[in-house]
Structure formats: C-alpha cells, structure tokens
Amino acid sequence: MSFTINKNLALISVLVWAGCTSNNSEKKELTVTKAINDTIPETRERVSQQAVASYSEPVKDPDGLNDWKFEIKAYETQATFEFLLKIQYMELAVTDSLFIPNFGIRPQVKMIKGPYPLSCVIGFLDKEGVFKEYKLVEVAKGQLKIRQIKSYRRAIFKKS
C-alpha cells in the first residue's frame, strides 16, 4: 500500500516539475488586475433601505380571491457592487444576489419586461448608459426560475 502512495506522489511530482519547466517564451499571459484609477469604493458608506430598481406585474387568480403578483425588487447591500434581489410570485417569496462588475462607475441596476409572460430581465447600465442584460427571472409552467443569461468582467491584458 505504501508503494501505491509513493508511486502516486512520484507521478504528481513529475507532472508538477514538467509544468514548471515548460517553455513559456512564446506564450502570451492574460493577467486580470485591479485598475490603479478605481475611484468607486468597495463598500457603501450608507445603504439605502429603498429598492433601487423594481419590476411588477399582476398574476391572474382564476377565483378572483387573491391579489397575486410577480414582482422583483433590488436593494443595496454594504458591498457597492452587490445587490439583494427580493422576488415574489403569488405566495412564494425568494431572494437572490446580483453582482455587478466594477467598470469604474457606480452600478445602476435596471429591470425590463422579459420576452415571456411573467418574465423580467435584470441588468445594469454601462458607462454609455446602454442596458446590459444579466439575469432572467421567469415563471415557466408554474415554476419560478432564475438564471444568469450573460456574464461580464473587466480585464486588463498585458503581453509578457
């Protein structure tokens, strides 16, 4: 049994050594770093208790007894680029997080009507004020679904 462990350790050591000694002269390195000119603090001094963005539409009740709705509200958190989503569908209440990338501007969450009945696209505005889709919240076959539809990140490329 100790032979098997030593054999595995030897194999791992050879693989690590081979990876460390490979020729890197022609490889370009992709480095993601924090920009020096970031002016937006990572935390908020004051967190608003009011929703910063919201979307709502009524949900039909066949009996007419309930005032149901499909509603999403985004709230600030202590972290500048993180928001709390509170989602209501009929009697179901759930929460989710929304992380906006730091593009050097204060994040501005926006919600628009989605492509399906009882759906909403959640996103943010970029530096030019263009809406960037990020998440889709929808009701499909009576089920509440939340999914990320696009990803964004800021990267600085450097040649090595």
Side-chain angles (χ1 to χ4, degrees):
M1 184 168 208
S2 64
F3 175 72
T4 305
I5 293 171
N6 291 337
K7 183 178 174 184
N8 289 338
L9 287 175
L11 178 60
I12 291 170
S13 298
V14 168
L15 291 174
V16 169
W17 177 79
C20 292
T21 59
S22 65
N23 184 359
N24 290 329
S25 62
E26 295 190 22
K27 290 183 182 178
K28 291 182 182 175
E29 184 177 313
L30 169 66
T31 307
V32 179
T33 60
K34 187 172 180 177
I36 296 171
N37 64 352
D38 278 348
T39 57
I40 309 300
E42 293 291 322
T43 58
R44 291 187 175 92
E45 289 182 19
R46 200 177 75 228
V47 177
S48 173
Q49 299 302 310
Q50 301 297 318
V52 296
S54 64
Y55 176 83
S56 183
E57 65 179 277
V59 174
K60 293 181 183 176
D61 177 12
D63 299 327
L65 300 173
N66 298 295
D67 185 24
W68 285 332
K69 59 186 166 186
F70 171 70
E71 182 176 68
I72 303 139
K73 292 183 179 182
Y75 295 89
E76 292 179 343
T77 65
Q78 190 66 42
T80 302
F81 299 96
E82 180 180 352
F83 295 85
L84 174 67
L85 298 176
K86 293 186 178 181
I87 303 162
Q88 176 82 36
Y89 169 60
M90 295 171 57
E91 300 298 322
L92 178 66
V94 298
T95 60
D96 192 23
S97 294
L98 178 69
F99 298 94
I100 305 295
N102 181 351
F103 289 121
I105 60 170
R106 292 218 176 260
Q108 188 174 358
V109 177
K110 185 174 179 180
M111 298 181 191
I112 62 172
K113 170 83 176 123
Y116 316 110
L118 299 178
S119 69
C120 173
V121 176
I122 304 169
F124 60 93
L125 300 180
D126 68 6
K127 285 184 178 185
E128 289 79 34
V130 175
F131 180 68
K132 299 293 184 184
E133 297 178 340
Y134 196 44
K135 286 190 174 192
L136 174 67
V137 180
E138 66 178 322
V139 176
K141 298 179 183 177
Q143 300 278 325
L144 181 66
K145 297 182 184 252
I146 306 166
R147 61 186 161 116
Q148 184 172 329
I149 52 177
K150 293 196 179 176
S151 1
Y152 302 91
R153 66 186 66 174
R154 183 180 73 172
I156 299 171
F157 300 95
K158 295 191 320 190
K159 286 186 179 180
S160 298

